Amino acid sequence: MEALLNITIYLPLLGIPLILMLKNENSRKWIALIVTSLTFILSLPLLFNFNVAGSGTAQYLSEGSRIMESLDIKYLVGLDGLSLLLFMLTTFMGPIVILSSWDSVKKHLAGYLSMLLLLQTASLGVFASLDLMVFYVFFELSLIPMYFLIGIWGGADRIRATIKFFIYTLVGSLIMLVGLIYVGYDAGAVMNGVNFTTDWRFLSSNLYQIGLEQQTYLFLAFALAFCIKVPLFPFHTWLPYAHTEAPTAGSVVLAAIMLKMGTYGLIRVCLPIFPNAFMEFAPWMATLAVIGIIYGALVAMVQKDVKKLVAYSSVSHLGFVVLGIFAFNAVAVQGAILQMINHGLSTGALFLIVGMIYDRRHTRMIKDFGGIAKKVPIFTVMFMIATFASIGLPGLNGFIGEFLILNGSFFSELYSNKAFAILATTGVILAAVYMLWMFQRVMFGPITNEENNSLADLNAREIGLLVPMVIFMFWIGVHPVDFTKYSEAQVQELLSSSEEKSMAVIKNTSRDELPDWTAKLYDIDEAESQLASTN
């Protein structure tokens, strides 16, 4: 099974030379489809053989040799409860993304398909990596194909969107690299026999503890990179441009996969390695999340472009994920993990649907549509289901994720009051307003544009794209335990071990060792008195 994990990660790369060697355009597309389909099929045994009871530990571990004896940097991949579903979502979306641009992309097709395959390998590597340096390499590698996808195959304003996307994410990543190097050397001083280590298993254990002052700076460095990737308000401004100008496949991958690298990083890295800072900054992160939820919804409401409306809805929906992560209880974190999958399915489907209507009318402006439901009934049904899933209608996947997040946030011990959950609930109401209003204006009413009379309904390929996603929307909505069971043990263990680690750090920290601002930030005097009374 260890070999199968590696084959799944790197199989998409094997398709690139085949695509570049072939001259026939149809053959190139079929090679890309076969490779991504095989990747998904080969990933299924990883899911079926996953030990749910042991999901608190990494499975299918593949460990290479160190770069040098004194540098504990090595190829280390595996899957656990935090990463399994995101890994499976990435393989699931592969053939869907290839099929979505089957007829729409004509320019430099070989390069386009090669970038999609490279992006899939980079994404799979991010979710499977258990060495932080390997994680960082895959994290950065994902920028390159997306840069070209937007810059070459994007819309009219693609250059501006590409530059903004690249600068934002690269700056955050470089700051994270500085923090990663510090952590590596600091951990190497603790770990026997090495000078530098980025092994997540050691960094997340109670054997490695970072002082409160250092945690503060390091948490901010890592969290900045991940919040830009999410993107969390106010680091979100690159996203609407990137989504709007990207080709349909680029928008789908960006929404379904790449944005989750940010929220995944917050759980995988920031929580277990910097638990004190994670808990101390939780109210501040929750504040930004709630602002993003409401702001994204309000801005989406006034959009005239359907694709930009869906892009701003991502800012709002991912605010829920961040809110759940920093609630620091099992219900909310489970909801956050599930909501990452839900957002990938529902928003990915919405971008596919917008791309399908754009291919027919070459416009995304809401005012150019109206009354088309009677002309494209199958399209209308698919659009309606994706819309309902996005707004969290009971019975569909979005409801389960949002319910768990709001439930857990309401009872979170890290948030000073229940206002975060209450305010976040308004985002659910606003989502219904802007999504249903958009759906009504696009699909119903009289046909005012003559071109809409000749619209063709979805063909077999397009139906085949959307049906699997719709099935999962209903499946998660009706029986979510089939999905939450994979992360339950991991979440419980992560929260308890992080809490133990945070208490041990405070116990080993003297008030005199800290600057006044850090002691005040962590309220170290109160913590010391609580520990004394406990002992």
Side-chain angles (χ1 to χ4, degrees):
M1 297 303 289
E2 293 82 2
L4 185 61
L5 175 60
N6 284 293
I7 292 170
T8 305
I9 294 171
Y10 297 106
L11 182 59
L13 290 184
L14 297 180
I16 295 177
L18 292 174
I19 288 170
L20 295 177
M21 286 189 296
L22 292 171
K23 300 299 181 184
N24 184 276
E25 304 267 286
N26 278 331
S27 298
R28 287 169 166 169
K29 289 187 283 189
W30 277 105
I31 287 293
L33 179 61
I34 290 169
V35 167
T36 51
S37 299
L38 277 175
T39 302
F40 173 62
I41 292 169
L42 288 174
S43 70
L44 291 175
L46 300 174
L47 177 71
F48 298 148
N49 291 290
F50 189 80
N51 182 6
V52 175
S55 64
T57 56
Q59 301 175 36
Y60 318 127
L61 271 178
S62 178
E63 186 170 354
S65 302
R66 296 175 182 173
I67 293 177
M68 294 172 58
E69 197 60 35
S70 60
L71 294 179
D72 185 23
I73 302 173
K74 56 185 177 294
Y75 179 76
L76 180 63
V77 295
L79 296 176
D80 60 15
L82 298 181
S83 57
L84 179 68
L85 291 182
L86 289 168
F87 189 90
M88 294 304 304
L89 177 66
T90 306
T91 63
F92 172 74
M93 295 301 298
I96 291 175
V97 165
I98 298 297
L99 281 170
S100 70
S101 47
W102 197 258
D103 296 324
S104 58
V105 175
K106 308 293 184 184
K107 181 175 70 171
H108 308 308
L109 181 64
Y112 176 81
L113 296 173
S114 298
M115 289 301 104
L116 288 176
L117 293 178
L118 177 59
L119 184 54
Q120 184 172 37
T121 287
S123 303
L124 291 172
V126 167
F127 297 128
S129 296
L130 291 173
D131 184 285
L132 291 194
M133 192 59 75
V134 177
F135 170 88
Y136 181 81
V137 169
F138 281 117
F139 191 84
E140 288 296 271
L141 180 61
S142 67
L143 294 181
I144 298 171
M146 185 55 71
Y147 174 87
F148 288 111
L149 284 170
I150 300 173
I152 298 175
W153 294 277
D157 202 16
R158 60 185 180 274
I159 302 302
R160 180 186 177 193
T162 303
I163 292 173
K164 196 164 188 176
F165 159 74
F166 199 79
I167 290 176
Y168 258 80
T169 50
L170 185 63
V171 167
S173 299
L174 290 175
I175 294 172
M176 179 172 70
L177 178 60
V178 175
L180 180 56
I181 292 171
Y182 179 92
V183 169
Y185 278 109
D186 189 57
V190 180
M191 190 176 186
N192 293 327
V194 298
N195 296 326
F196 184 98
T197 181
T198 48
D199 189 323
W200 180 83
R201 295 170 300 181
F202 177 75
L203 297 177
S204 61
S205 71
N206 287 341
L207 298 173
Y208 177 59
Q209 298 173 9
I210 305 176
L212 296 181
E213 185 179 3
Q214 292 87 345
Q215 273 197 45
T216 303
Y217 292 117
L218 291 168
F219 171 82
L220 292 174
F222 279 84
L224 175 64
F226 296 138
C227 288
I228 289 173
K229 198 81 167 183
V230 170
L232 183 67
F233 177 92
F235 310 109
H236 67 283
T237 56
W238 64 268
L239 180 66
Y241 289 100
H243 264 318
T244 305
E245 300 304 324
T248 297
S251 294
V252 173
V253 174
L254 193 60
I257 309 300
M258 288 191 69
L259 302 187
K260 310 308 180 303
M261 295 179 187
T263 49
Y264 174 75
L266 291 171
I267 299 177
R268 170 66 72 191
V269 180
C270 291
L271 173 55
I273 302 178
F274 320 117
N276 300 82
F278 183 95
M279 289 185 245
E280 196 58 43
F281 282 98
W284 298 97
M285 298 296 287
T287 300
L288 294 179
V290 170
I291 292 172
I293 290 169
I294 298 172
Y295 168 84
L298 292 175
V299 177
M301 200 181 299
V302 298
Q303 295 305 310
K304 300 176 182 179
D305 182 325
V306 180
K307 197 172 186 183
K308 191 168 278 190
L309 183 150
V310 177
Y312 274 107
S313 77
S314 289
V315 177
S316 184
H317 289 147
L318 287 165
F320 279 102
V321 177
V322 175
L323 180 67
I325 291 170
F326 283 90
F328 197 75
N329 60 46
V331 173
V333 175
Q334 281 276 76
I337 293 172
L338 187 62
Q339 191 65 2
M340 291 187 222
I341 308 302
N342 294 339
H343 178 264
L345 292 170
S346 58
T347 305
L350 286 171
F351 277 119
L352 285 172
I353 287 165
V354 172
M356 291 170 186
I357 198 71
Y358 180 79
D359 289 341
R360 288 161 168 76
R361 288 282 282 107
H362 301 290
T363 177
R364 297 188 301 261
M365 305 307 291
I366 295 174
K367 65 180 178 60
D368 293 331
F369 297 100
I372 64 174
K374 61 191 77 171
K375 299 294 180 181
V376 285
I378 301 176
F379 176 87
T380 303
V381 171
M382 295 296 184
F383 195 3
M384 179 185 68
I385 293 171
T387 300
F388 286 161
S390 182
I391 65 177
L393 186 76
L396 290 168
N397 58 340
F399 172 77
I400 301 298
E402 289 177 353
F403 173 77
L404 291 175
I405 290 168
L406 292 172
N407 189 330
S409 300
F410 194 79
F411 295 104
S412 171
E413 295 180 2
L414 296 189
Y415 300 157
S416 55
N417 53 55
K418 304 185 186 303
F420 293 112
I422 295 169
L423 290 173
T425 306
T426 63
V428 180
I429 301 168
L430 292 172
V433 172
Y434 67 75
M435 289 300 295
L436 293 177
W437 188 32
M438 177 271 291
F439 183 76
Q440 181 266 325
R441 286 181 291 165
V442 170
M443 305 308 300
F444 299 114
I447 295 179
T448 56
N449 194 316
E450 191 60 34
E451 291 182 55
N452 292 330
N453 279 310
S454 57
L455 278 179
D457 208 348
L458 298 185
N459 56 38
R461 174 182 61 84
E462 292 167 329
I463 294 172
L465 284 176
L466 294 171
V467 165
M469 303 178 78
V470 168
I471 289 172
F472 278 105
M473 291 177 197
F474 281 105
W475 188 355
I476 296 174
V478 172
H479 207 256
V481 71
D482 289 341
F483 301 86
T484 57
K485 67 181 180 182
Y486 292 105
S487 57
E488 187 173 358
Q490 176 81 30
V491 168
Q492 293 284 3
E493 182 176 323
L494 182 66
L495 294 177
S496 60
S497 63
S498 297
E499 192 165 12
E500 288 175 15
K501 189 172 182 177
S502 68
M503 293 301 291
V505 170
I506 292 177
K507 190 173 183 178
N508 295 329
T509 303
S510 170
R511 173 68 171 80
D512 299 332
E513 296 175 6
L514 296 173
D516 288 341
W517 68 270
T518 309
K520 184 178 180 181
L521 176 68
Y522 291 94
D523 205 355
I524 196 70
D525 295 319
E526 182 181 343
E528 285 180 339
S529 65
Q530 287 179 353
L531 283 170
S533 62
T534 302
N535 295 333

